[in-house]
Amino acid sequence: MSFIWPDMLWLLLVLPLLVLAYWVMMRRRKKYAMQYAGLATVRQAMDSTQQIRRHIPPALFLVALALMLLAAARPVAIMMLPSDQKTVILAVDVSGSMRANDVVPSRLAAAISAVKTFVQDMPRNSRVGLVAFAGTAAIVQAPTSNRDDLLDALDRLQLQRATAVGSGILVSLKAIFPDIEFNLDSLDPRPLESQDKLTAQELGKEPKSKPPGQFVPVPPGSYNSAAIILLTDGQTTTGPDPVEASLMAAERGVRVYTVGIGTEAGKILTGDGWAMHVRLDEEPLKKIAEVTKAQYFHAGTAHDLANVYKTLSSHLTLERREREVSGLFAAGAAVFAILSAFLSMLWFNRVL
């Protein structure tokens, strides 16, 4: 737990002073009672039960005061709250390496099965889109709340040649921001002005002044209305550098959750006179997740992949957020103050 106004916590030092003042007052009261009270009164004052009861109202009042002071410091707690994310783009690798069967029955078949379950479990008010990428990337299904259209699009996925993970990220980003511009023919797909701005930030300098309406980067992970889930074996063979592509998502605050499917040992695929060793390349996927303030998940089996999508579902529907809880402390202070006043009234009327 943290506090918005932590300087207010210094007021808590008043509490020990109040306890000391109360102790001094009780000592003086006891001294006067011993001087002027009759024997019956002294016996009653020495009764341990009565002594404990008479301290309860002041103790409750002290707790109420402590809670009020904590509320004044405006405490903030991390809570699990419904997410604002309304759009999720699923970017699925359909390159030839996804036919490897180190994940049974195959990487692609296991991926499609897990994605279908994920889609069906998503809240109905969420819009889900589908991007398929191999040597190039394309939006197979624009973001929609119609689950049947999305499931049909998943069934139409077919394997193709080459792998352009960076293109998959960029086309997914375009499904969220249709006006985004990028260059698929360069390792760094960002427009020149974005490259200048990022370079200036990295060097600790002020970027050059831009015309009004020019894109201004936001903190990574700060855009809560959409997210991208990238599923691939991570081996890029063509297209933009995937980490450079993820910088464009980071500049717009979009998280890119990466799911690596396959094993480190990989599998040898054979064809007409050729053989190719395909294995999971985790490093770029971890970097993409790190840059965009998301998470990387490894799925070495179909069961692992299903569990990954269950975890992702909870991440996208419930999100850890900081929320001010000073109202709870103030409400608690009010309850303790009322109890203190009520018990004090009963005490003075000799009900207790």
Side-chain angles (χ1 to χ4, degrees):
M1 180 178 293
S2 58
F3 296 89
I4 298 176
W5 293 347
D7 291 342
M8 297 294 291
L9 295 176
W10 287 104
L11 294 176
L12 292 174
L13 295 177
V14 174
L15 300 181
L17 297 178
L18 291 178
V19 173
L20 179 61
Y22 178 75
W23 180 77
V24 171
M25 290 175 59
M26 293 303 297
R27 291 269 301 188
R28 293 180 63 184
R29 181 177 180 182
K30 184 176 180 181
K31 180 180 178 181
Y32 291 141
M34 292 293 292
Q35 288 178 354
Y36 302 107
L39 183 59
T41 305
V42 173
R43 287 177 178 175
Q44 184 179 8
M46 295 178 63
D47 184 11
S48 60
T49 304
Q50 294 290 335
Q51 289 289 337
I52 294 174
R53 287 180 180 177
R54 73 193 307 175
H55 295 314
I56 292 177
L60 291 176
F61 179 78
L62 192 69
V63 172
L65 185 59
L67 290 174
M68 283 190 288
L69 293 176
L70 288 172
R74 299 182 64 184
V76 174
I78 296 178
M79 307 175 68
M80 296 300 294
L81 299 172
S83 174
D84 294 332
Q85 288 174 339
K86 301 298 183 182
T87 303
V88 177
I89 305 300
L90 296 165
V92 180
D93 187 348
V94 292
S95 61
S97 60
M98 290 293 286
R99 70 183 177 92
N101 61 1
D102 51 350
V103 177
V104 180
S106 71
R107 295 178 182 179
L108 184 60
I112 292 175
S113 176
V115 168
K116 285 182 175 180
T117 302
F118 171 79
V119 167
Q120 291 171 343
D121 290 341
M122 284 292 291
R124 286 294 171 180
N125 63 336
S126 297
R127 298 167 66 244
V128 184
L130 179 64
V131 169
F133 64 93
T136 58
I139 299 176
V140 179
Q141 175 62 57
T144 177
S145 57
N146 189 320
R147 300 297 184 255
D148 292 334
D149 289 348
L150 196 60
L151 295 176
D152 290 341
L154 284 167
D155 289 333
R156 293 196 301 268
L157 294 181
Q158 295 182 354
L159 293 172
Q160 301 174 28
R161 292 184 178 181
T163 308
V165 177
S167 297
I169 295 174
L170 294 172
V171 173
S172 299
L173 201 57
K174 194 170 185 64
I176 301 171
F177 304 108
D179 58 343
I180 190 174
E181 296 180 2
F182 48 76
N183 182 9
L184 294 180
D185 297 325
S186 172
L187 288 179
D188 187 348
R190 293 170 296 154
L192 183 59
E193 59 269 18
S194 294
Q195 297 178 26
D196 291 341
K197 182 173 291 187
L198 188 63
T199 302
Q201 291 176 343
E202 290 172 347
L203 295 175
K205 302 176 182 177
E206 290 293 328
K208 299 177 182 179
S209 59
K210 300 296 178 182
Q214 182 69 38
F215 166 72
V216 177
V218 299
S222 61
Y223 188 74
N224 293 320
S225 297
I228 297 172
I229 300 176
L230 179 74
L231 189 145
T232 177
D233 54 21
Q235 286 190 307
T236 297
T237 60
T238 188
D241 181 86
V243 176
E244 295 293 339
S246 69
L247 288 174
M248 294 190 68
E251 290 172 346
R252 289 158 178 78
V254 177
R255 290 185 173 93
V256 181
Y257 295 90
T258 54
V259 181
I261 182 169
T263 59
E264 292 185 3
K267 196 76 175 180
I268 297 178
L269 299 180
T270 58
D272 295 333
W274 58 267
M276 178 175 62
H277 182 221
V278 293
R279 64 176 183 83
L280 174 62
D281 187 7
E282 292 186 293
E283 289 308 313
L285 301 182
K286 291 179 180 179
K287 187 64 177 178
I288 291 168
E290 179 185 353
V291 165
T292 60
K293 302 300 180 183
Q295 286 181 271
Y296 166 73
F297 301 90
H298 173 233
T301 66
H303 179 71
D304 292 341
L305 187 58
N307 288 335
V308 164
Y309 273 95
K310 287 181 182 179
T311 303
L312 279 169
S313 179
S314 64
H315 273 269
L316 296 173
T317 55
L318 289 176
E319 189 175 26
R320 290 170 61 88
R321 298 188 210 167
E322 287 189 345
R323 185 167 186 175
E324 187 177 346
V325 291
S326 54
L328 296 177
F329 283 81
V335 170
F336 279 101
I338 292 171
L339 284 175
S340 174
F342 180 70
L343 293 176
S344 296
M345 181 184 66
L346 295 180
W347 171 262
F348 285 116
N349 285 279
R350 296 294 188 269
V351 177
L352 291 178

